[in-house]
Amino acid sequence: MKTIQLKWIACATVAALLGMSGCKPKNAASAVDAGAAAKAYVAPGKYDEFYNFVSGGFSGQMSVYGLPSGRLLRVIPVFSVDPEKGYGYSEETKPMLNTSHGFVPWDDLHHTELSQTNGEIDGRWIFANGNNTPRIARVDLSTFRTNEIIEIPNSAGNHSSPFITENTEYVVAGTRFSVPPDNVNGDVPINTYKKNFKGTISFVSVDKTSGSMKIAFQLLCPGVNFDLSHAGKGPSHDWFFFSCYKSEQANTLLEVNASQKDKDFILAVNWKKAEEYLAQGKAKKQAVKYAHNVYDEKTHSATSTIETEVQVLDVKDFPDIAYFIPCPKSPHGCDVDPTGEYIVGSGKLAALIPVFSYAKLQAAIAAKDFIGNFGGIPVVKYESALYGEVKKPGLGPLHTEFDGKGNAYTSFFVSSEIVKWNIKDLKVLDRAPTFYSIGHLCIPGGDSRKPNAKYVIAYNKITKDRYLPTGPELAQSAQLFDISGDKMQLILDFPTIGEPHYAQAVSADLIKTKSVKIFKIEENANPYVSKGEGETKVVRTGNRVDVNMTAIRSHLAPDNIEGVRMGDEVYFHITNLEQDWDVPHGFAIKGSVNAELLIMPGETQTLKWIPDRVGMFPMYCTDFCSALHQEMQGYVRVSPAGSNTPLLFSTGKNQPKPDSTSTQ
Ligand code: K7E
Ligand code: CUA
């Protein structure tokens, strides 16, 4: 074991020099022993024990897997359009992707965070960050749909997000890129970084009942890169911890210029103190522009509102809000153990893992045990906040999760392994290779007060030979380890959608009973709902044509529409009249420069269509809904602009009368 480990380290060191690409352990194929398959086996028709919510990285979506089977259950569209579900294509969902930049159909989703009550996962919502155009999304776990997206102003690259406090009081957003604030002219030389660029941290409050998000306040900080974060727990409840790198404040060739210093920082933020200053009216109001998008389940529609103000506290003016703790070296992960006493910093280039003590940090702050300040923020002496260091744990530590039994599990990108260590004595207990180059890892409830120490899942960055090759782009890979014993045991590989970063898992019992089965048709408040076929109609208003339609097995009503003209804008508002579980209908029309609609029972969704030519346009249901699904179709006749073809619509009637002259 020892020699293998040394070999990895040698290999990994070379890999590090070559740009930190991963290192492949030799004995990859033989890593799974017999009996592992049985542990991951979930018989056909049986439910999994956990939901695993996995970030999709550059797919912009979140996918839901069952554990331990690794079966893909659903892809939840969050920041990217999804033609499969019509998300971002239907008129009702387009506003969800609105931003101050306009409609943005894509983002880069790195972290998923389940809502908590008293530090335990409560199964209500899951939050996600949009890393590119800074946003936070909230997905409702009764519908598995994105119900709210809030844009973050004064920010760029919303990476240290969307981590939450113990009672979901706040979900945070720390900017990865420092930028000139939105209300000043950003047209400045890039090399004025130190002077003009600022880092903000946003505290977004979450309504206890509705989940509704609001930017409560922003903290203006010196220009650095905020990377990851976690809230305190128990004794450290009032605090939030953010890793930050690039304290060199470099603005070019960061791989060299932002790797100079031996230590960067963890920023400890006392958010309760910030709340006090806010309540005293000490925050400055700043004019900004950001979108706040909300999906209403009664109208089955989203609205987007542009907000125009945030409250900002400049931390250098409030010296007891924030403190820097030195942390070696280019820290990435910043994780707080279930007791709330230990804060683990993971320096990407560090050869050790520092574990900080919340109690010692408080004592150091009280004693003003500072070594100076950075950008006006006091810097606590490293040794004064340090509980201890895990020595020689591996190479390239990134993230840490906890088992609730006093152990931590840290991912190591360069040495490509998970390392289990004891928090109290900081001794390494076990290590398991990952295939290959793990990024994040997840234990169900692993960042809460009550982890479920059954599995740890690795989300890997480099896949190489784990699956059948599929051209130049290979399947991304996750790996499931049983951690119920002293040693980690690899039991399953499963591919993921997009590039997985963080993921969270939760006992299925907390969610499955609350899962909505149908939307009640009588509660549908969409302005274009048809609650029965008798309410269907086609209405012309100038060149706008509204088609209020219904879908039920196995016809559309109306299914014959005439009198649409070139130059018209047609809106198909389709209500799915079914009230049985699992009978969606779809809708598509030939030549439409749009996706399909997928309409759940009781729901109304709208497709906008601008006919591009005179002629006959078939439309049909896209979801195989009954034996007569292929019969679920119709026609729209498009006449030239200015023609006098009467507006007619029908189902089950031949109208107008077939007539040799009616081919006008
Ligand atoms: Cu992938 Cu959380 Cu964006 Cu680490 S980050 S791996
Ligand atoms: Cu409805 Cu197929």
Side-chain angles (χ1 to χ4, degrees):
M1 188 67 207
K2 187 112 196 191
T3 53
I4 292 171
Q5 195 52 38
L6 285 173
K7 207 156 68 189
W8 288 1
I9 290 170
C11 168
T13 308
V14 173
L17 292 171
L18 293 174
M20 281 183 84
S21 77
C23 165
K24 179 183 155 190
K26 276 274 153 25
N27 56 343
S30 57
V32 179
D33 67 30
K39 288 189 174 175
Y41 183 71
V42 178
K46 291 274 186 274
Y47 286 167
D48 277 289
E49 192 185 346
F50 293 93
Y51 286 102
N52 188 198
F53 297 92
V54 182
S55 59
F58 45 68
S59 85
Q61 318 293 44
M62 186 189 300
S63 36
V64 187
Y65 295 83
L67 295 178
S69 74
R71 297 180 296 197
L72 175 65
L73 306 176
R74 183 160 183 81
V75 175
I76 302 173
V78 182
F79 295 115
S80 297
V81 293
D82 183 353
E84 182 196 29
K85 300 168 186 81
Y87 180 82
Y89 293 97
S90 71
E91 294 308 296
E92 283 81 358
T93 55
K94 278 178 185 172
M96 290 305 289
L97 300 178
N98 190 41
T99 72
S100 63
H101 302 273
F103 182 80
V104 176
W106 171 87
D107 216 304
D108 184 17
L109 189 165
H110 281 218
H111 306 122
T112 59
E113 181 87 344
L114 288 152
S115 57
Q116 297 186 9
T117 302
N118 297 325
E120 293 180 37
I121 292 169
D122 59 23
R124 301 205 290 168
W125 309 300
I126 185 157
F127 298 87
N129 68 320
N131 193 38
N132 183 49
T133 304
R135 288 174 279 179
I136 294 174
R138 179 174 54 87
V139 171
D140 189 302
L141 290 177
S142 65
T143 58
F144 286 67
R145 284 183 171 182
T146 304
N147 268 17
E148 190 176 7
I149 292 180
I150 195 163
E151 192 182 355
I152 310 294
N154 291 325
S155 186
N158 179 31
H159 197 261
S160 54
S161 178
F163 302 99
I164 57 166
T165 51
E166 278 188 290
N167 289 299
T168 319
E169 294 100 332
Y170 293 106
V171 38
V172 300
T175 190
R176 168 183 168 189
F177 296 92
S178 284
V179 284
D182 290 0
N183 64 336
V184 302
N185 183 4
D187 180 16
V188 295
I190 298 168
N191 66 12
T192 61
Y193 184 98
K194 284 181 190 167
K195 178 166 163 243
N196 288 321
F197 290 48
K198 298 282 174 205
T200 54
I201 293 172
S202 307
F203 280 76
V204 176
S205 62
V206 179
D207 184 85
K208 273 195 163 47
T209 317
S210 67
S212 177
M213 294 187 284
K214 185 176 169 250
I215 300 178
F217 58 90
Q218 293 191 314
L219 301 179
L220 193 68
C221 302
V224 291
N225 281 24
F226 290 106
D227 206 7
L228 282 141
S229 58
H230 265 99
K233 305 177 174 80
S236 55
H237 173 82
D238 298 355
W239 291 74
F240 224 108
F241 303 93
F242 296 83
S243 59
C244 45
Y245 64 105
K246 217 184 82 162
S247 53
E248 297 86 353
Q249 300 192 305
N251 55 277
T252 182
L253 199 64
L254 301 195
E255 64 170 326
V256 177
N257 295 329
S259 306
Q260 302 291 317
K261 287 198 183 169
D262 192 42
K263 292 192 178 66
D264 289 287
F265 297 119
I266 283 175
L267 182 70
V269 171
N270 185 336
W271 55 266
K272 279 279 182 195
K273 265 273 178 287
E275 276 183 341
E276 284 171 24
Y277 290 123
L278 191 74
Q280 292 162 16
K282 298 253 170 79
K284 288 207 180 85
K285 292 190 165 64
Q286 186 195 323
V288 285
K289 246 180 97 177
Y290 63 97
H292 184 199
N293 312 329
V294 179
Y295 191 82
D296 178 336
E297 255 150 39
K298 292 278 184 272
T299 60
H300 303 279
S301 310
T303 50
S304 178
T305 311
I306 296 291
E307 308 279 358
T308 56
E309 192 179 87
V310 281
Q311 307 216 67
V312 180
L313 290 161
D314 188 336
V315 288
K316 72 173 169 358
D317 301 334
F318 303 95
D320 54 355
I321 291 182
Y323 302 88
F324 279 123
I325 311 167
C327 183
K329 171 161 193 187
S330 301
H332 186 56
C334 179
D335 300 286
V336 180
D337 90 308
T339 69
E341 165 61 13
Y342 302 102
I343 302 125
V344 180
S346 295
K348 300 187 289 277
L349 306 175
L352 53 82
I353 304 175
V355 179
F356 299 99
S357 153
Y358 173 73
K360 283 187 73 179
L361 172 69
Q362 291 309 306
I365 290 170
K368 296 210 179 344
D369 198 356
F370 304 140
I371 55 166
N373 78 82
F374 181 83
I377 300 176
V379 180
V380 175
K381 191 172 166 206
Y382 175 70
E383 290 75 16
S384 302
L386 188 72
Y387 170 72
E389 294 168 340
V390 185
K391 304 284 189 198
K392 295 215 169 87
L395 283 173
L398 292 185
H399 300 284
T400 299
E401 292 259 294
F402 303 93
D403 68 1
K405 298 192 281 193
N407 305 309
Y409 291 72
T410 300
S411 59
F412 287 83
F413 176 81
V414 177
S415 52
S416 189
E417 59 186 328
I418 298 176
V419 175
K420 174 184 178 181
W421 50 277
N422 183 278
I423 302 169
K424 276 268 144 64
D425 66 17
L426 306 172
K427 291 266 180 340
V428 170
L429 301 171
D430 188 26
R431 48 181 80 237
T434 55
F435 310 105
Y436 306 94
S437 297
I438 181 174
H440 274 276
L441 75 178
C442 156
I443 289 172
D447 81 342
S448 74
R449 280 171 92 163
K450 277 240 179 82
N452 185 331
K454 197 154 183 184
Y455 303 113
V456 65
I457 309 107
Y459 302 94
N460 302 321
K461 296 298 183 193
I462 292 165
T463 53
K464 291 206 180 91
D465 55 6
R466 294 309 276 185
Y467 303 103
L468 281 173
T470 51
E473 193 176 356
L474 303 176
Q476 305 275 346
S477 142
Q479 297 187 289
L480 181 70
F481 296 80
D482 180 340
I483 55 165
S484 55
D486 286 343
K487 299 283 172 194
M488 290 174 264
Q489 184 195 10
L490 176 62
I491 57 175
L492 182 75
D493 274 22
F494 60 96
T496 66
I497 293 188
E499 183 191 32
H501 294 257
Y502 193 37
Q504 291 209 324
V506 59
S507 167
D509 294 332
L510 214 53
I511 290 175
K512 67 173 191 247
T513 52
K514 296 191 285 201
S515 184
V516 165
K517 293 198 168 174
I518 55 162
F519 299 111
K520 288 189 185 134
I521 189 82
E522 62 270 22
E523 291 175 5
N524 183 325
N526 186 292
Y528 299 99
V529 65
S530 307
K531 294 193 177 175
E533 287 184 17
E535 296 184 10
T536 60
K537 60 186 176 188
V538 180
V539 179
R540 170 181 291 285
T541 317
N543 71 337
R544 176 183 169 119
V545 177
D546 286 287
V547 182
N548 290 17
M549 288 176 81
T550 58
I552 194 162
R553 283 162 291 178
S554 290
H555 61 271
L556 299 164
D559 64 1
N560 279 218
I561 300 170
E562 306 196 11
V564 171
R565 302 192 291 244
M566 284 299 290
D568 283 349
E569 277 188 3
V570 183
Y571 293 85
F572 296 99
H573 311 284
I574 298 148
T575 301
N576 179 346
L577 291 177
E578 307 285 351
Q579 292 285 271
D580 283 340
W581 194 18
D582 196 30
V583 194
H585 294 291
F587 180 80
I589 184 160
K590 187 191 170 198
S592 171
V593 292
N594 205 335
E596 65 157 0
L597 297 176
L598 190 63
I599 313 135
M600 295 301 124
E603 187 179 34
T604 303
Q605 291 285 287
T606 299
L607 188 83
K608 180 182 176 183
W609 176 57
I610 300 177
D612 72 316
R613 63 191 72 174
V614 169
M616 195 57 70
F617 289 83
M619 55 184 177
Y620 72 102
C621 168
T622 52
D623 186 295
F624 205 106
C625 48
S626 79
L628 296 173
H629 155 77
Q630 286 292 84
E631 278 63 24
M632 203 163 172
Q633 65 167 55
Y635 291 101
V636 180
R637 174 186 169 189
V638 176
S639 302
S643 81
N644 57 3
T645 313
L647 197 64
L648 293 169
F649 60 94
S650 62
T651 317
K653 281 189 271 179
N654 264 330
Q655 206 183 28
K657 281 206 180 74
D659 180 338
S660 59
T661 64
S662 66
T663 56
Q664 50 183 316

